[in-house]
Amino acid sequence: MSREAVKKINKAGMLGIILLDLKLITPEKLEIALKEQASFNKTGHRRLGDVLVGLGFISEDEMLGALSSQLGLQYLKFNEFPKTIPNVPYPTVKFMKQYKFVPIGAEDNVLKIAVSDPLNEYVTDTLQFFSSKSVEIFLSSENDIMEAIEQYFGSNVQMTSIMEGMREEESETEEIDELQEDVHHLRDMAFEAPIVKLVNMLITRAVEGRTSDIHIEPFENSVKVRYRIDGALTQVESLPKRIQPAVISRIKIMSRLNIAERRLPQDGRIKLRVSGRDIDLRVSSIPTIYGESIVMRILDRGSALIVLDHIGFPEEILDTYKKLITTPYGMILVTGPTGSGKTTTLYASLNKINSDDKKIITVEDPIEYQIDGINQIPIKPQIGLTFANGLRHIVRQDPDVIMVGEIRDIETAEIAIHSALTGHLVFSTLHTNDAPGAVTRLLDMGIEGFLVSSSLIGVLAQRLVRVICPECKEVYTPPQDIIEKIDYLPENFIAYHGKGCEACRGTGYRGRTGIFELMVITTEIRKLILESASSDVIRQMAVSKGMQVLRDNGWQKVREGITTIEEVLRVSQEGI
């Protein structure tokens, strides 16, 4: 039966009609089930048949029999499955259990599988990619499928089957070793249709799923695929070990890396169009004990540039920061660890002040967003174009505003500071835990205190916290030891969290927002810098002048129901 026919029947709601025709349910029971399904689907997804079984209106056997008639699929029970492991390619047991299917045989170029959810196209697509066979679907209950998986792959597998599997693994390992010596063979495999489709599918799913990084990690018996979504890694797939060389080679060819070099780290880039959007992928490859590990950072060139008002600034901090970035000269630093949103804040700042009467030049590694009207320079260390060298030439271009992607060394710091002292507004980033720490970091680099105090006008420290999923947001009572870690709680405080749903992939969070602390360099703080005061002393002075520290800004978002207590504790330190 074609997939298109299955879609049409499913959308038409034929299961309910078939059950009525078979007199297995009454119209009243069907109406109750449809209302229950509609209620559930506001926060997740549930099939009508599962709802009917859950309500006790029909048995699972009756539901599957009707579903078999609806879709034109043969219904198999456990006693009709093969008694031994079918001699066919199969993915990991975890993958089979997750998607509730089991291979039951093969004929010619057709792979036969039993599934509990015949409408899950992802299973059939994946198996086609892995096996290069078309897939024939049989319908079975979830319990029967799990029992078959246990019989075929569980602890009760006969010793002979285990030994055969070990011999197959050994032959596959030998095959991988041979492939790694044959670059031409690797290149041929990388251009095979199933591998091309698989890699494209992994990238497409990542882009459509708000993923920032794709991790492809080789291990002894499998290849894990993990996506970083809203700052947290989630495993989405486990690929067969036998296709590892082809998948890695495909990605390296796309990013113009040397597929023959597997001993040294390599960096590359992929440009492609996904779902009508222009996407850049920064690709990093490093050798590990089980093969090359690949990480692809997704940069969406087609996305709208985020504006300052939409990244989570509290109103009072936003007003002060907007005044700072319109200052004619001086240096503004944005600090925080990797992945805390510093670059996004810098781009939003430049976008805010971008106008025809200002010349803005940036030097970046890499250029993550392209902004109309701004001159953007990518650094190229291999030809001598570093941050320091690029910045040295930028000042000869008569800019009003300069943005340096990161201050990594004393040379870059000195040029940036002298640019700020000679009438330019300079933006840059540093890796420090808080705003006062940026001052001591510059002093530790060897910059004179009088230069720092004269050039620096503000430091913004930030972190990213995950936002509670609006689809499954609910009131909950946090543990008492967690509540005690909040410095201030209003009366009748209500805490929220996400219980997990399909929209947020069960995490309870969807999207991220920033928490901030903004230290404006006042006269008193300038004096402390000249005295080489510690960051703790500078912090105390800044707080006395009204600076809200990172964690307090986080508690504010907890009280507003934007994020959770656990998220603020995760990204911030006590006293910061």
Side-chain angles (χ1 to χ4, degrees):
M1 184 177 190
S2 71
R3 184 178 298 167
E4 289 72 20
V6 171
K7 285 183 179 179
K8 290 178 181 178
I9 291 175
N10 186 52
K11 291 179 179 178
M14 289 298 293
L15 177 61
I17 297 173
I18 292 172
L19 292 172
L20 289 173
D21 289 342
L22 296 173
K23 300 188 185 308
L24 292 173
I25 59 171
T26 64
E28 292 77 16
K29 288 182 177 179
L30 178 59
E31 185 177 357
I32 292 171
L34 289 171
K35 288 182 179 179
E36 179 74 11
Q37 182 190 30
S39 175
F40 186 92
N41 286 355
K42 290 180 180 178
T43 57
H45 177 71
R46 198 173 182 188
R47 296 174 295 173
L48 177 61
D50 293 335
V51 175
L52 288 164
V53 173
L55 291 171
F57 291 164
I58 57 173
S59 68
E60 184 180 27
D61 195 57
E62 290 171 331
M63 185 270 290
L64 288 171
L67 192 60
S68 173
S69 299
Q70 177 192 5
L71 301 178
L73 299 174
Q74 185 177 346
Y75 173 34
L76 296 180
K77 295 187 178 180
F78 177 72
N79 58 11
E80 297 175 278
F81 285 10
K83 300 304 180 185
T84 58
I85 301 174
N87 186 23
V88 297
Y90 50 82
T92 63
V93 173
K94 180 179 179 181
F95 183 79
M96 288 186 276
K97 288 183 175 180
Q98 180 179 357
Y99 292 100
K100 301 174 181 60
F101 77 94
V102 64
I104 57 173
E107 289 181 4
D108 298 327
N109 201 36
V110 178
L111 174 65
K112 298 180 179 181
I113 63 170
V115 298
S116 65
D117 181 4
L119 301 175
N120 190 336
E121 299 175 10
Y122 175 63
V123 171
T124 54
D125 286 344
T126 302
L127 291 176
Q128 285 174 347
F129 296 155
F130 289 164
S131 66
S132 298
K133 297 177 181 289
S134 60
V135 178
E136 183 179 355
I137 295 174
F138 293 81
L139 188 61
S140 189
S141 70
E142 182 178 329
N143 288 337
D144 284 352
I145 288 171
M146 292 303 176
E147 190 172 350
I149 292 174
E150 180 63 26
Q151 175 176 305
Y152 295 157
F153 309 103
S155 57
N156 295 326
V157 178
Q158 296 180 353
M159 183 60 68
T160 54
S161 298
I162 295 176
M163 294 303 295
E164 288 174 2
M166 290 177 64
R167 283 194 291 270
E168 289 173 3
E169 281 190 14
E170 288 173 359
S171 64
E172 285 180 2
T173 302
E174 291 170 1
E175 182 181 359
I176 289 172
D177 291 340
E178 292 173 3
L179 288 176
Q180 289 179 341
E181 297 301 323
D182 189 350
V183 174
H184 296 295
H185 193 180
L186 278 176
R187 187 179 296 275
D188 290 342
M189 289 182 62
F191 282 99
E192 289 180 358
I195 297 300
V196 172
K197 290 180 180 178
L198 173 60
V199 172
N200 288 347
M201 180 190 68
L202 292 174
I203 294 173
T204 300
R205 285 179 60 205
V207 172
E208 293 176 348
R210 302 179 296 107
T211 300
S212 61
D213 300 86
I214 305 171
H215 293 245
I216 300 178
E217 304 164 312
F219 293 95
E220 184 175 6
N221 298 314
S222 66
V223 182
K224 288 184 179 179
V225 179
R226 298 197 289 174
Y227 291 167
R228 187 176 295 279
I229 302 173
D230 295 334
L233 276 173
T234 303
Q235 183 172 339
V236 295
E237 202 55 80
S238 183
L239 306 178
K241 188 70 174 176
R242 62 186 175 82
I243 68 170
Q244 173 186 325
V247 171
I248 298 299
S249 296
R250 176 63 189 169
I251 295 170
K252 291 176 72 173
I253 287 172
M254 292 174 68
S255 51
R256 301 181 183 277
L257 300 181
N258 182 2
I259 65 172
E261 178 56 75
R262 295 178 293 276
R263 300 164 301 171
L264 296 173
Q266 296 186 70
D267 294 311
R269 175 170 292 214
I270 301 172
K271 292 185 178 182
L272 69 166
R273 194 167 180 83
V274 178
S275 302
R277 294 151 61 184
D278 291 322
I279 301 297
D280 275 357
L281 298 175
R282 286 167 52 193
V283 181
S284 172
S285 168
I286 61 169
T288 72
I289 188 173
Y290 295 118
E292 290 175 281
S293 174
I294 297 283
V295 175
M296 293 181 278
R297 166 66 60 88
I298 299 174
L299 306 174
D300 190 350
R301 292 185 290 129
S303 63
L305 192 65
I306 296 175
V307 297
L308 278 177
D309 305 70
H310 297 161
I311 60 179
F313 274 110
E315 187 175 348
E316 59 275 15
I317 293 181
L318 179 60
D319 290 342
T320 304
Y321 185 70
K322 283 182 176 178
K323 292 177 182 176
L324 274 181
I325 65 176
T326 56
T327 305
Y329 56 87
M331 184 165 68
I332 298 173
L333 295 177
V334 181
T335 76
T338 301
S340 59
K342 301 186 297 294
T343 302
T344 299
T345 299
L346 285 178
Y347 277 123
S349 303
L350 295 180
N351 194 47
K352 178 69 178 178
I353 62 176
N354 187 17
S355 61
D356 290 337
D357 62 347
K358 287 189 176 72
K359 178 158 185 171
I360 303 175
I361 304 180
T362 73
V363 54
E364 309 172 50
D365 179 29
I367 296 173
E368 297 191 14
Y369 297 96
Q370 297 178 19
I371 310 176
D372 187 44
I374 293 180
N375 297 276
Q376 296 173 266
I377 304 170
I379 73 164
K380 297 177 180 177
Q382 62 271 25
I383 60 172
L385 182 53
T386 61
F387 278 124
N389 198 19
L391 184 55
R392 186 178 291 108
H393 290 279
I394 279 177
V395 295
R396 301 172 187 169
Q397 289 283 311
D398 188 31
D400 298 291
V401 180
I402 298 170
M403 192 267 274
V404 186
E406 182 183 345
I407 293 178
R408 297 177 178 174
D409 51 51
I410 185 172
E411 184 181 9
T412 306
E414 287 177 340
I415 301 172
I417 286 173
H418 281 102
S419 299
L421 291 173
T422 54
H424 305 92
L425 181 61
V426 179
F427 292 88
S428 193
T429 69
L430 273 177
H431 289 283
T432 63
N433 288 329
D434 59 358
V439 173
T440 54
R441 174 64 59 82
L442 291 173
L443 296 176
D444 290 343
M445 280 184 175
I447 305 298
E448 295 289 346
F450 74 91
L451 292 175
V452 177
S453 65
S454 301
S455 60
L456 196 61
I457 60 174
V459 183
L460 179 73
Q462 66 179 74
R463 300 289 190 280
L464 290 177
V465 293
R466 291 181 288 177
V467 175
I468 299 171
C469 175
E471 300 294 328
C472 60
K473 183 177 180 179
E474 65 177 10
V475 176
Y476 87 120
T477 303
Q480 187 60 35
D481 62 324
I482 295 294
I483 294 179
E484 289 173 355
K485 294 182 180 180
I486 300 183
D487 301 324
Y488 166 71
L489 279 177
E491 293 185 12
N492 303 319
F493 167 71
I494 299 176
Y496 295 90
H497 77 163
K499 64 180 181 180
C501 66
E502 187 176 345
C504 63
R505 298 173 179 259
T507 63
Y509 299 98
R510 186 171 174 84
R512 290 188 290 177
T513 190
I515 59 174
F516 304 89
E517 70 176 25
L518 176 61
M519 183 177 75
V520 179
I521 308 301
T522 62
T523 302
E524 293 81 1
I525 292 177
R526 293 188 195 282
K527 291 180 180 178
L528 292 176
I529 295 173
L530 287 170
E531 296 168 3
S532 299
S534 68
S535 60
D536 288 338
V537 173
I538 295 174
R539 165 177 287 278
Q540 292 172 7
M541 176 61 71
V543 170
S544 71
K545 294 297 181 181
M547 182 183 80
Q548 183 184 46
V549 299
L550 270 171
R551 183 167 279 194
D552 285 347
N553 185 214
W555 297 147
Q556 180 180 333
K557 284 183 166 57
V558 169
R559 293 191 291 269
E560 293 171 354
I562 296 172
T563 191
T564 63
I565 300 172
E566 292 82 358
E567 269 298 283
V568 175
L569 293 175
R570 180 179 69 86
V571 304
S572 65
Q573 300 177 14
E574 188 172 357
I576 293 179

